[in-house]
Each structure stands twice: as structure tokens, then as C-alpha cells.
């Protein structure tokens, strides 16, 4: 498995280190994808996870990949090898799953892209470490134990690094980012539905800038 996603114009670095926050984007209208991505990038959040929760996801990823060169766009909520193929074909630069199976992990590895498989238990973390996977999504973060749980994992499993996602917000994100085994967090708070509905990209950019400053 490769664990790096190159940022535009710079040497490859870990996906977890490109930005403190990965916006988790649910796109219902692919026409919104490009202005939304431009607003996030302008606000300092270049890593964008577009979830496979809507029929528009693949088209949104493709549009961002083609028209927003400074964005590092990836696919989230990837649940099957077939979705891995779709995401790769659309131009995804990384893949994120809410959980994993051996079959799905094999497809992720075969894609050649960086990926963050989802975990919520110590056994899942150990199983991935056995397979050489050290970077993971901790999901659903708040429901699965939050910062106390990840803090408890840091000592016995220091090689594991996480992107906590699920219930993380502007108030709790700094607590996660202060942990030694957290590289970044995933969240949606910089994407308020009313701003998206109104096409208020200036507000999205402002909220993205605040999120990008959470770890200075």
C-alpha cells in the first residue's frame, strides 16, 4: 500500500499531513462540485473527500479532478471493489472507507492509491497493522470513544495514525489534533447546508479558513 498523496506542486507527503481537516462532502448536484472545491481550496483545505452517498459523486469527483488542479480529491464511503474502480476512473487521488473487509482491502491495495480504511476497535487496528497499513480512518469517532479512546491507543500502538471522522466539529477538532496519533480530522461543519443551497461560496471559504487554522 502507498501511504502518500502528493499535494499539487510539492513532493509527496502523507495524506494525513496535507491539511488539519479533510472536508467530507456530500454532493447532490455535480454542478456545485467545482465552485465548492474552489472555495475549500481557497480557504486552505485542499484535500476533499467526496462521499459515494449520492448518484452525483463520481461526476463531482471527475469535475473537481479536471477543473480544480490545486485540489486533492478523493472518494469516501467506498464500500466495494466496484466502487473502488469507479472512483479511480473518475480521477480520485485517495480512497476512504467506513470499515473494511479482506475483499475490500485487497481492492484498495490494488488501486495503487493512498487509502484510509475505517476502524473503530483495537482488533481492527491490529489487523491492519499486520497487513502493513498504518494510516486509518477512526469512525464513527465520537460514538466509538472519541479522544479518550485514541489517547489510550497511542501508547501500545504508536505506529497507527488516524483521521477521526464522525461527530467531529469545530469545538472538538482541536482536542483530536492535539493527540500524537492523529494526523488530521474529517468533518462537515465548514459545509453548512444553507450555504450550499444558496451557493454562498464565500461563507464556505471563510469557514474553511477557520478550519485550516485549527493547527497553525
Amino acid at each position: 500500500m502507498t501511504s502518500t498523496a502528493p499535494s499539487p506542486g510539492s513532493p509527496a507527503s502523507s495524506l494525513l499531513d496535507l491539511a488539519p481537516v479533510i472536508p467530507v462532502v456530500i454532493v447532490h448536484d455535480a454542478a456545485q462540485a467545482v465552485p465548492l472545491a474552489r472555495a475549500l481550496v481557497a480557504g486552505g483545505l485542499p484535500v476533499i473527500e467526496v462521499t459515494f452517498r449520492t448518484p452525483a459523486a463520481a461526476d463531482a469527483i471527475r469535475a473537481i479532478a479536471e477543473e480544480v488542479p490545486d485540489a486533492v480529491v478523493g472518494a469516501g464511503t467506498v464500500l466495494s471493489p466496484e466502487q473502488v474502480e469507479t472512483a479511480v476512473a473518475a480521477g480520485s487521488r485517495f480512497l476512504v472507507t467506513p470499515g473494511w473487509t479482506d475483499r475490500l482491502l485487497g481492492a484498495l491495495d490494488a488501486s495503487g492509491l493512498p487509502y484510509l480504511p475505517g476502524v473503530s476497535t483495537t482488533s481492527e487496528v491490529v489487523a491492519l497493522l499486520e497487513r502493513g497499513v498504518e494510516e486509518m480512518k477512526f469512525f464513527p469517532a465520537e460514538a466509538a470513544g472519541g479522544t479518550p479512546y485514541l489517547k489510550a491507543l497511542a501508547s501500545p500502538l504508536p505506529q497507527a495514525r488516524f483521521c477521526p471522522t464522525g461527530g467531529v466539529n469545530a469545538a472538538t477538532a482541536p482536542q483530536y489534533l492535539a493527540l500524537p496519533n492523529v494526523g488530521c480530522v474529517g468533518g462537515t461543519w465548514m459545509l453548512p447546508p444553507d450555504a450550499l443551497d444558496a451557493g454562498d461560496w464565500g461563507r464556505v471559504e471563510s469557514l474553511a479558513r477557520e478550519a485550516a487554522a485549527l493547527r497553525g
Side-chain angles (χ1 to χ4, degrees), residues 7 10 13 31 33 41 57 60 67 75 79 98 119-120 127 156 212 215:
S7 63
S10 67
S13 60
V41 171
E67 299 185 44
L79 300 175
V119 297
S120 60
R215 184 176 59 204

Side-chain angles (χ1 to χ4, degrees), residues 3-19 45-47 68-73 93-94 114:
S3 61
T4 60
S7 63
S10 67
S13 60
S14 168
L15 179 64
L16 299 186
D17 296 329
L18 295 182
L45 299 181
V47 184
V68 191
D70 290 334
V72 180
V73 63
R93 295 174 63 181
F94 66 92

Side-chain angles (χ1 to χ4, degrees), residues 147-189:
T147 53
Y149 192 95
L150 288 178
K151 186 176 181 180
L153 292 184
S155 180
L157 301 171
Q159 65 272 53
R161 298 182 72 219
F162 302 95
C163 174
T165 306
V168 181
N169 56 41
T172 59
Q175 301 166 26
Y176 283 100
L177 292 169
L179 298 176
N181 54 352
V182 170
C184 64
V185 300
T188 62
W189 71 88

Side-chain angles (χ1 to χ4, degrees), residues 4-107:
T4 60
S7 63
S10 67
S13 60
S14 168
L15 179 64
L16 299 186
D17 296 329
L18 295 182
V21 180
I22 297 179
V24 179
V25 181
I26 302 173
V27 179
H28 295 281
D29 181 357
Q32 288 189 326
V34 169
L36 173 58
R38 286 175 175 158
L40 291 171
V41 171
L45 299 181
V47 184
I48 301 170
E49 176 188 334
V50 178
T51 70
F52 270 170
R53 300 184 192 182
T54 70
D59 287 338
I61 291 169
R62 184 175 295 106
I64 295 171
E66 293 176 352
E67 299 185 44
V68 191
D70 290 334
V72 180
V73 63
T77 320
V78 176
L79 300 175
S80 69
E82 292 75 23
Q83 285 186 327
V84 170
E85 293 180 3
T86 300
V88 172
S92 294
R93 295 174 63 181
F94 66 92
L95 305 167
V96 184
T97 75
W100 62 276
T101 64
D102 287 335
R103 180 171 178 261
L104 180 55
L105 195 66

